[in-house]
Amino acid sequence: MAKELLRIEHLSAGIEEKEILHDINLKMNYGEVHVIMGPNGSGKSTLVNVIMNNPQYQVNGGDIFLDGESILELSTDKRARKGIFMSFQTPMEVSGVSVENFIRTAKSTIEDKNIPILKFRKSLEKEMDQLSMDHSYADRYLNQGFSGGEMKKNEILQMLMLQPKLAILDETDSGLDVDATKIVSEGIERFLSRGNAVLIITHHRELVRSVVPDVVHVIMDGSIVKEGDHTLINKIESEGFHWIREEVK
Ligand SMILES: Nc1ncnc2c1ncn2[C@@H]1O[C@H](COP(=O)(O)OP(=O)(O)OP(=O)(O)O)[C@@H](O)[C@H]1O
Ligand SMILES: [Mg+2]
């Protein structure tokens, strides 16, 4: 039977001045791919920020469970150690820290053990080969001067190296070329084949072409207003959100 990984129950959250998310319910099992779609400003990034405990946001009600345990009281750091990984819609540049050091430090912090440098470099280069990334990227400062597509690949590299239970990808839709889209999409597939789960926030179907999502959730004005299978993505791409808005009226 499918094992539950993440459960969000009656979650309401926002910033001090206003509530952005209202009564969100969402359940994900190990091995599943879920997609969140929704118009700009509907609350998708807010939701992932709340899952990671970004201090900008406050929870007004409800709960978030990982492996059946509430994580609401845990810091971002502890949530990462429990196995949640999040990519940012706008990745930060980190000056003075190489890609290799960043990932190795994150991995040794999360796994709470020292990771031998040479062994790590070897496995990093193996993943980089599969993502068609030149090894020189490992020595570059994180995201500094990276193109949109390179940042995306770098995120997938982090995800593959850190092996979180749950990876949350908040898409930039920053125009991955056809080959890069395929490579990234295959990276997600490799990640999933190890039994992990992915939550993808996206406006387009490109990234989930080779991985068929199990559930698609649609957020509008801070509420989940529709859920369905992967065919919902095509319908939204061709018809937009208008018909869903009409349905929930
Ligand atoms: N820190 C904040 N301060 C003020 N308003 C915020 C903050 N964070 C989010 N909001 C507002 O909450 C709403 C939801 O924003 P959010 O970033 O979650 O949207 P989104 O669904 O991710 O949109 P997009 O598709 O454009 O990425 C928006 O109206 C946004 O302006
Ligand atoms: Mg967003």
Side-chain angles (χ1 to χ4, degrees):
M1 217 184 79
K3 189 165 172 262
E4 179 189 289
L5 173 58
L6 176 77
R7 188 168 83 248
I8 300 176
E9 272 184 2
H10 301 296
L11 181 75
S12 297
I15 49 173
E16 208 173 315
E17 305 83 56
K18 72 165 181 179
E19 189 168 282
I20 298 171
L21 300 171
H22 323 287
D23 197 26
I24 300 283
N25 291 290
L26 193 153
K27 228 181 85 176
M28 275 182 85
N29 293 320
Y30 277 91
E32 288 183 350
V33 182
H34 287 224
V35 168
I36 297 184
M37 298 185 86
N40 293 129
S42 56
K44 304 178 299 294
S45 296
T46 303
L47 177 61
V48 299
N49 275 292
V50 171
I51 295 174
M52 261 341 245
N53 195 18
N54 179 329
Q56 274 180 26
Y57 302 94
Q58 62 181 46
V59 171
N60 302 330
D63 212 334
I64 305 172
F65 301 89
L66 192 79
D67 289 324
E69 277 176 43
S70 173
I71 55 165
L72 220 50
E73 301 302 320
L74 301 184
S75 63
T76 301
D77 188 47
K78 290 222 172 82
R79 291 182 197 199
R81 283 172 202 235
K82 287 237 174 244
I84 311 179
F85 166 87
M86 174 188 163
S87 79
F88 295 93
Q89 193 172 21
T90 324
M92 51 177 178
E93 285 190 10
V94 183
S95 172
V97 179
S98 70
V99 167
E100 177 177 4
N101 275 337
F102 178 82
I103 304 178
R104 192 164 52 82
T105 306
K107 195 169 171 67
S108 57
T109 308
I110 289 168
E111 295 179 3
D112 201 18
K113 65 177 184 211
N114 205 13
I115 294 166
I117 295 178
L118 285 177
K119 200 172 148 213
F120 177 80
R121 177 78 189 202
K122 227 173 141 189
S123 59
L124 184 72
E125 289 184 350
K126 205 171 138 209
E127 290 291 4
M128 291 181 101
D129 287 342
Q130 287 190 288
L131 290 169
S132 298
M133 286 175 90
D134 193 278
H135 294 178
S136 62
Y137 283 101
D139 305 314
R140 279 177 64 173
Y141 292 154
L142 191 68
N143 292 332
Q144 211 164 59
F146 279 28
S147 77
E150 288 166 351
M151 279 191 208
K152 189 90 280 162
K153 277 193 183 177
N154 186 52
E155 260 170 38
I156 301 299
L157 177 67
Q158 286 175 36
M159 176 182 88
L160 286 163
M161 290 304 294
L162 297 176
Q163 284 299 322
K165 292 174 182 168
L166 171 65
I168 305 174
L169 307 175
D170 195 353
E171 288 314 307
T172 50
D173 291 319
S174 60
L176 281 175
D177 68 43
V178 184
D179 293 340
T181 306
K182 189 158 173 282
I183 289 165
V184 165
S185 174
E186 284 166 1
I188 296 174
E189 219 180 328
R190 273 203 302 288
F191 176 74
L192 282 164
S193 68
R194 300 169 191 172
N196 307 309
V198 190
L199 180 61
I200 303 173
I201 321 284
T202 186
H203 290 292
H204 303 287
R205 78 187 126 186
E206 264 78 51
L207 261 198
V208 284
R209 239 187 244 287
S210 67
V211 280
V212 180
D214 295 280
V215 187
V216 177
H217 312 263
V218 181
I219 295 194
M220 275 181 175
D221 301 326
S223 301
I224 293 186
V225 292
K226 194 167 185 68
E227 283 172 326
D229 63 14
H230 65 278
T231 56
L232 196 51
I233 303 178
N234 293 347
K235 187 152 166 125
I236 289 170
E237 269 217 323
S238 56
E239 296 177 33
F241 293 105
H242 182 72
W243 61 280
I244 302 179
R245 222 181 267 286
E246 288 299 313
E247 262 183 25
V248 292
K249 251 187 192 166

